[in-house]
Amino acid sequence: QVQLVESGGGSVQAGGSLRLSCAVFGYTYSSYCMGWFRQAPGKEREGVAAFDSDGRTSYADSVKGRFTISQDNAKNTLYLQMNSLKPEDTAMYYCAADYRPMTAIQALGVLQAFAYGGQGTQVTVSS
């Protein structure tokens, strides 16, 4: 059974940093596309960052240069380093995984529809 468990969310002031983690259980980690999406109250889900199975990455324009997605295959863990946080980054953040082959750019647009997702971790950025 595939399970994704997020952690690392919290409350920070604008300009601060957080690192989210997503521990993955139940499948061969490196063969999947993975990524992070977020949902703020009253807004649609938004893809934030994605990896494809070849290790290529893609980012939403709103986070480019501030967020970095990375992975540790030995630990079966996906990360999202978030720097220079802004109040508009406040949202519930979810990691997601899918076994279907796709590019990172394709993945970014459909993360919220991936086969597997976690329960989410809340990020709150105050001004």
Side-chain angles (χ1 to χ4, degrees):
Q1 182 176 355
V2 177
Q3 187 177 11
L4 309 177
V5 181
E6 302 99 334
S7 61
S11 297
V12 296
Q13 290 190 328
S17 298
L18 284 172
R19 188 176 81 156
L20 307 183
S21 299
C22 174
V24 179
F25 305 94
Y27 66 80
T28 304
Y29 177 83
S30 61
S31 64
Y32 279 59
C33 291
M34 295 200 67
W36 295 90
F37 67 93
R38 65 188 180 185
Q39 187 167 27
K43 295 187 178 180
E44 294 186 354
R45 292 180 171 183
E46 174 191 24
V48 175
F51 258 121
D52 63 24
S53 58
D54 292 325
R56 292 169 297 198
T57 59
S58 183
Y59 295 91
D61 287 343
S62 57
V63 306
K64 280 181 182 176
R66 301 188 297 121
F67 290 13
T68 303
I69 190 172
S70 63
Q71 55 188 356
D72 185 332
N73 289 343
K75 295 182 179 179
N76 268 18
T77 302
L78 182 74
Y79 301 100
L80 184 68
Q81 178 67 44
M82 305 185 296
N83 298 328
S84 301
L85 282 161
K86 303 175 180 180
E88 51 263 43
D89 295 318
T90 295
M92 186 71 81
Y93 284 72
Y94 302 87
C95 69
D98 202 291
Y99 49 82
R100 293 170 290 178
M102 64 185 80
T103 67
I105 293 175
Q106 292 170 330
L108 188 66
V110 296
L111 281 166
Q112 54 269 41
F114 267 20
Y116 307 104
Q119 294 299 308
T121 186
Q122 177 68 37
V123 171
T124 302
V125 185
S126 58
S127 57

